[in-house]
Amino acid sequence: MNRLRECRKKKKLTLEQLSKELAKNGLKLTPDAISKYERGDREPKIKVWEKFSEFYGIPMNYLQGRGWSQQEVLIFLTLMLISLGDEVESPSGRTVDPHFISMYGDDNESLDELDIDDLPGFRDEAKEYIKLFKSNEIEHSEDFIEWLDIDDEEDIGADDIDSYVEDNLDTLIDTILLPEDIEEIRSNIKESIDTFDIDLYSSLTKLLPEERMDFFRWSRLDDFNYSLTVNNLKSRVRQSDLEVMFSILLKHIDLVSDYEFLSNVGENEYKTGVIPEYEIAKQLQDELKSKEFEKAQDYLKANPQKAIKGLVNSMDLTASDKKTTIDIISFLVNEISALQGRVSSLANQLKDREREK
């Protein structure tokens, strides 16, 4: 389902008002035509999609219904905050632990749904499996003997089989591997993949001011003895409270309004196995790192000496080495500041000369 109605409602426009606004932007549509587009009764042409995208300032992919909607992400993050880190059911229907979100889900479960060609490391795993368990079958095959181009089978060695597998891997995967072999390889891959879990809950809470977190804590549904879900969230929390929670997230979490990112969430799971919850967790983690870096930069600019001392004092150095390090860094900071001043002065001189011309 497309998100045209969602975007119209966000702008608080009626169908008649939207029709007039679009006409000002060169797109003449009747309210009835817009309504049919929103319901999915009629599919807009590409030029119409482009006009909608331009008017709303939102990527076409998002308008067409790709990825997760902003509402779905808001609900997902709200569920985690209200649960105070307990397991929740995400809009995808998957139950997740906000503290441990893995790339391929619990026990790498999403890899079960991938085609073998899309399994990470499948070719390498298949190659070793064939060498280990299918060498005898290869050794007595006509194709192998023909490939070797020898008369005496006693001259066949392990290196010959390895080379044959390397040269004919694609053909061997299609011809020599049975369905049970494929599943064994899939199982081996699932067991061997070691991905880092992301603590989405911690990243989320660090991005929100402490006083705003209190609102979510007060909304904790203590009588829940099972995973929080989208349905029981909507039925147990007042709409007015939900709107306040959403507004807090919209103000402090950038990814919620990153429509390009939202339109890609979960779109490639069928090919990569990466679950949408992990994509959100990774994006949120990156956002936290970026904001912490910007904060550190601002602090360094505002209090350079204090920041330098704090950084050096946290290092495992002797008192003498700390003093030396502080002196060196302070000298470099002062030199950089002086250099910036000279660059700025030269830039102003150049501008003055341009004006005189």
Side-chain angles (χ1 to χ4, degrees), residues 200-245:
L200 195 160
Y201 181 77
S202 293
S203 297
L204 183 57
T205 55
K206 288 176 182 176
L207 283 165
L208 296 178
E210 182 62 28
E211 66 272 14
R212 307 309 280 165
M213 272 299 300
D214 288 340
F215 188 86
F216 293 94
R217 294 190 184 103
W218 294 334
S219 301
R220 171 72 169 124
L221 308 180
D222 294 313
D223 56 333
F224 281 162
N225 55 7
Y226 47 85
S227 296
L228 285 168
T229 67
V230 174
N231 288 334
N232 60 37
L233 174 71
K234 291 181 175 180
S235 64
R236 303 295 287 275
V237 179
R238 290 179 300 182
Q239 183 62 32
S240 58
D241 287 343
L242 273 180
E243 289 175 1
V244 172
M245 294 177 195

Side-chain angles (χ1 to χ4, degrees), residues 15 17-29 34 48 51-52 55-56:
L15 290 168
Q17 290 171 331
L18 177 58
S19 177
K20 292 177 181 178
E21 291 297 320
L22 290 173
K24 295 177 185 177
N25 289 270
L27 180 61
K28 294 183 179 181
L29 293 174
I34 296 172
V48 175
K51 283 291 185 180
F52 274 125
F55 176 76
Y56 288 122

Side-chain angles (χ1 to χ4, degrees), residues 12 44 53 118 132 137 182 185 216-217 229 250 323 350:
K12 298 181 179 179
S53 176
D118 296 323
L132 190 61
E137 187 174 340
I182 297 293
I185 293 171
F216 293 94
R217 294 190 184 103
T229 67
L250 284 164
K323 183 179 183 306
L350 288 172

Side-chain angles (χ1 to χ4, degrees), residues 84-249:
L84 301 184
D86 288 344
E87 283 190 346
V88 300
E89 181 187 89
S90 85
S92 71
R94 181 182 284 109
T95 298
V96 298
D97 183 336
H99 291 292
F100 303 98
I101 297 186
S102 298
M103 183 178 291
Y104 303 114
D106 292 342
D107 300 321
N108 296 324
E109 61 183 16
S110 67
L111 298 182
D112 289 330
E113 306 301 322
L114 294 187
D115 291 338
I116 58 172
D117 291 336
D118 296 323
L119 279 171
F122 173 76
R123 285 176 58 81
D124 289 337
E125 190 70 31
K127 185 194 305 178
E128 296 307 312
Y129 185 92
I130 291 171
K131 289 178 182 179
L132 190 61
F133 297 106
K134 301 292 182 176
S135 58
N136 189 56
E137 187 174 340
I138 290 172
E139 187 176 346
H140 295 90
S141 69
E142 292 182 3
D143 289 338
F144 177 60
I145 301 300
E146 184 179 340
W147 176 83
L148 278 177
D149 193 23
I150 59 174
D151 297 324
D152 191 351
E153 293 188 16
E154 292 183 2
D155 294 335
I156 297 174
D159 289 343
D160 294 322
I161 294 177
D162 288 351
S163 298
Y164 178 74
V165 173
E166 295 281 351
D167 290 349
N168 300 274
L169 183 58
D170 290 331
T171 300
L172 290 171
I173 288 174
D174 292 336
T175 60
I176 206 170
L177 291 179
L178 302 173
E180 52 265 35
D181 296 321
I182 297 293
E183 290 313 305
E184 180 68 23
I185 293 171
R186 187 190 299 273
S187 178
N188 292 340
I189 290 173
K190 286 177 62 179
E191 291 178 6
S192 64
I193 286 180
D194 185 20
T195 59
F196 292 102
D197 295 327
I198 293 181
D199 188 344
L200 195 160
Y201 181 77
S202 293
S203 297
L204 183 57
T205 55
K206 288 176 182 176
L207 283 165
L208 296 178
E210 182 62 28
E211 66 272 14
R212 307 309 280 165
M213 272 299 300
D214 288 340
F215 188 86
F216 293 94
R217 294 190 184 103
W218 294 334
S219 301
R220 171 72 169 124
L221 308 180
D222 294 313
D223 56 333
F224 281 162
N225 55 7
Y226 47 85
S227 296
L228 285 168
T229 67
V230 174
N231 288 334
N232 60 37
L233 174 71
K234 291 181 175 180
S235 64
R236 303 295 287 275
V237 179
R238 290 179 300 182
Q239 183 62 32
S240 58
D241 287 343
L242 273 180
E243 289 175 1
V244 172
M245 294 177 195
F246 291 170
S247 67
I248 292 172
L249 292 170

Side-chain angles (χ1 to χ4, degrees), residues 334-351:
N334 290 333
E335 286 295 300
I336 291 171
S337 179
L339 180 60
Q340 288 174 332
R342 290 195 292 273
V343 170
S344 179
S345 176
L346 287 171
N348 290 330
Q349 290 177 30
L350 288 172
K351 287 180 182 178

